[in-house]
Amino acid sequence: MTSPYAQHGFAAGFDWGPVGAEVVAGDIVAVVDVLSFTTAVTVAADLGIDVLPYRWRDETAVVYAEQYDATLAVGRSAAGPGEVSLSPATIRSVTGITRLVLPSPNGSTISKQLSDSGATVIAVSLRNRQAAAEWVNKQGNGRRVVAIAAGERWKDGSLRPAVEDLWGAGGFLSALQSDNPSPEARAAVAAYDAVAEDLPRLLHECAGGRELTQYGYAEDVAIAAEVDESRSVPVLRDGTMFVST
């Protein structure tokens, strides 16, 4: 029996987190983690840096980075001068890196989870939502597209729906202009349309933006608010996100 949660019968769908990514399958899956994984991926892509998603920064990540001759991002608070972290600002300022292992518990984990699913996985943020939608539309008709908002985590490990990811997913789906979106996808589009004209300010004022600003990363929020300024569409192939041409 078809799961009632799978949003079957619709050309475009939307859901949250790792579980939603498993339940609502698509031919193309847009992973959205605005603060900050997918924003960081688009910044890296703009600079010609390939990104390898990974779940956690631990000893296995060190081995993984060595295996692929890649730089392993350090923790955001641990980054010193010239070091790269999940902070998009550190990626924008770095030189001499061509491959980056970028662990995160949300967007990166979902991307890694989907890497063996058979779906085409793309990294979408507010920065590249228009370019990503145009790329998807060029892939031809008949492909089911799903946007997955990564969300964040509460201290108990449960999903904290993050409004910035709802906006990012909705912005992508809005630009996609599907003629058959699921009710969930329609809701995401409506959420984006409601704030589109005031996004930079609201991104700083939402809980995630306030959190990063409080910890000294206001520049990361400003980069995430660069709506439609990136034309890069990172596509996950064989465990690495390359810029699609």
Side-chain angles (χ1 to χ4, degrees), residues 163 167 194-207 209 221:
V163 73
W167 294 336
V195 300
E197 294 185 359
D198 201 17
L199 253 179
R201 183 184 69 82
L202 292 176
L203 195 60
H204 280 85
E205 288 298 329
C206 72
V221 184

Side-chain angles (χ1 to χ4, degrees), residues 15 18-19 48 57 90 110 115 119-121 124 126 162 171 173 193 215:
D15 217 294
V19 176
R57 192 185 187 283
T90 65
I110 294 169
S115 61
T120 298
V121 180
V124 174
L126 291 167
L173 291 167
D193 289 345
Y215 288 115

Side-chain angles (χ1 to χ4, degrees), residues 5 23 31 36 57 59 71-72 75 99 101-102 109 121 124-126 132 138 190 213:
Y5 308 110
V23 174
V31 177
S36 298
R57 192 185 187 283
E59 289 304 314
T71 299
L72 175 61
R99 295 169 67 82
V101 174
L102 193 59
T109 294
V121 180
V124 174
S125 67
L126 291 167
K138 289 178 182 178
T213 299

Side-chain angles (χ1 to χ4, degrees), residues 55-131:
R55 292 179 175 86
W56 304 105
R57 192 185 187 283
D58 55 15
E59 289 304 314
T60 67
V62 174
V63 173
Y64 188 72
E66 292 174 349
Q67 178 183 350
Y68 288 96
D69 193 25
T71 299
L72 175 61
V74 302
R76 197 193 299 256
S77 61
E83 291 186 307
V84 179
S85 73
L86 191 61
S87 162
T90 65
I91 297 172
R92 181 168 280 179
S93 64
V94 77
T95 58
I97 289 179
T98 57
R99 295 169 67 82
L100 177 65
V101 174
L102 193 59
S104 90
N106 301 304
S108 189
T109 294
I110 294 169
S111 299
K112 185 71 173 173
Q113 165 189 318
L114 290 169
S115 61
D116 297 325
S117 69
T120 298
V121 180
I122 60 176
V124 174
S125 67
L126 291 167
R127 298 184 73 248
N128 74 332
R129 58 115 208 170
Q130 182 70 49

